[in-house]
Amino acid sequence: IIPERKTFNFALHGQYLTLDERLLNSYKENFSDDTVVILPASFFTPYYDNELTDTVKGVYYRILDIDQIPDLKIADLLLYRYFPLLSSKENVFESFSSLEYEELTFSELDAKVEDEFLLEHAEEYGQTYLNERIKDATPNAECDASYHRILDLCKENGWKPVLLTVPVHKYYREQFPEDILALFYEYIDGLLQEYPDAIYLDYSTDGRFYTNNSLYYDSDHLNQDGRTLFTQILYDDLIKYGLFQ
């Protein structure tokens, strides 16, 4: 879809904005002057941060610059970056003895889902995010600082920042009360006023996705067809905004 562009997705599963910032700082020397930086702006992004869990700690210890690793522990650095096999602990011998592996597949993401499943998923996860992450919609200090530092970094380097709210299903969006959404958009507007060179693209109610069940893997994730369509739409819109020539 974008054959003439060099792109890289820094997002890992469940990654918070503060880690987006740390990854950006770790690899910024590799960016060209005309880089377009796309930042997540989900309904809970400004409100929720978390510490590295043991599940993902090994990943970030390997890919972040040392000075970007939060709460750096030398023992963990040695374990995950230089002796990662030892992190298998009791399974270390199985790692040596078995050379067979199952091919990683994302075929389940291509599946079409039923309307009932989308509704149930939206109610479960939408309410979880609302009650555990958004709460009273007071911006998290670390997330707010990360937004500002990332946008400052873009300004200093001449990069083009884009805040992005991706498509979500109607059932999912309806889990968030209008007053909560109003506070979210008020926060985004505040960032745009502080950083007039940034643009905001909101596809959360885009009619091409909003009620089109065939494009979703679950209520807030697109399947393969949906991702392909959205990538093309996003790329075309970035051209319209003059971010790509």
Side-chain angles (χ1 to χ4, degrees):
I1 295 176
I2 316 178
E4 69 275 27
R5 298 289 170 185
K6 291 183 179 179
T7 61
F8 190 82
N9 181 5
F10 283 99
L12 300 176
H13 179 71
Q15 182 169 290
Y16 308 114
L17 189 67
T18 51
L19 287 169
D20 293 338
E21 179 195 357
R22 293 176 184 277
L23 278 164
L24 193 63
N25 277 310
S26 294
Y27 294 91
K28 61 185 178 184
E29 301 302 327
N30 298 291
F31 297 166
S32 61
D33 294 338
D34 61 348
T35 292
V36 175
V37 178
I38 300 176
L39 299 173
S42 72
F43 296 145
F44 57 79
T45 302
Y47 311 118
Y48 189 72
D49 187 33
N50 202 357
E51 298 179 354
L52 286 183
T53 63
D54 289 339
T55 306
V56 300
K57 183 184 292 185
V59 175
Y60 289 102
Y61 266 75
R62 288 193 292 270
I63 65 176
L64 288 176
D65 282 349
I66 291 179
D67 63 345
Q68 294 296 325
I69 298 175
D71 302 319
L72 175 66
K73 294 179 176 60
I74 298 302
D76 284 339
L77 179 66
L78 292 172
L79 176 65
Y80 292 117
R81 179 167 292 193
Y82 300 107
F83 303 100
L85 190 61
L86 296 181
S87 65
S88 298
K89 297 179 181 178
E90 66 272 11
N91 297 320
V92 64
F93 294 108
E94 292 181 15
S95 301
F96 272 117
S97 62
S98 177
L99 296 178
E100 296 182 1
Y101 64 93
E102 294 184 10
E103 183 178 355
L104 185 63
T105 175
F106 292 93
S107 59
E108 69 272 14
L109 298 181
D110 300 335
K112 306 298 187 296
V113 294
E114 299 296 331
D115 190 79
E116 182 179 358
F117 168 79
L118 288 170
L119 179 58
E120 291 177 353
H121 182 275
E123 290 176 343
E124 178 181 355
Y125 284 87
Q127 290 301 307
T128 297
Y129 297 153
L130 180 64
N131 296 324
E132 296 182 6
R133 300 188 178 186
I134 298 176
K135 299 179 181 178
D136 62 353
T138 299
N140 175 279
E142 289 299 320
C143 293
D144 182 58
S146 285
Y147 261 136
H148 283 81
R149 286 192 294 261
I150 291 173
L151 291 168
D152 285 337
L153 188 63
C154 290
K155 185 176 181 179
E156 293 167 6
N157 289 277
W159 302 337
K160 306 163 187 176
V162 178
L163 299 172
L164 178 68
T165 302
V166 299
V168 294
H169 196 276
K170 177 176 182 288
Y171 293 151
Y172 177 84
R173 195 177 192 277
E174 287 178 342
Q175 302 305 311
F176 302 93
E178 288 303 320
D179 59 332
I180 293 294
L181 291 175
L183 290 171
F184 166 77
Y185 287 116
E186 181 180 308
Y187 176 80
I188 297 298
D189 286 341
L191 290 177
L192 296 176
Q193 290 177 22
E194 289 186 66
Y195 300 92
D197 290 335
I199 67 171
Y200 175 50
L201 299 177
D202 179 13
Y203 298 92
S204 64
T205 58
D206 189 299
R208 291 165 289 190
F209 301 93
Y210 200 41
T211 58
N212 191 341
N213 294 4
S214 67
L215 298 178
Y216 286 91
Y217 164 65
D218 57 35
S219 66
D220 64 331
H221 293 92
L222 299 169
N223 61 21
Q224 181 61 47
D225 290 341
R227 297 195 303 274
T228 300
L229 175 61
F230 178 55
T231 300
Q232 186 64 65
I233 289 172
L234 176 60
Y235 182 55
D236 291 343
D237 286 345
L238 292 175
I239 292 175
K240 291 176 184 177
Y241 274 91
L243 299 183
F244 293 143
Q245 301 299 323

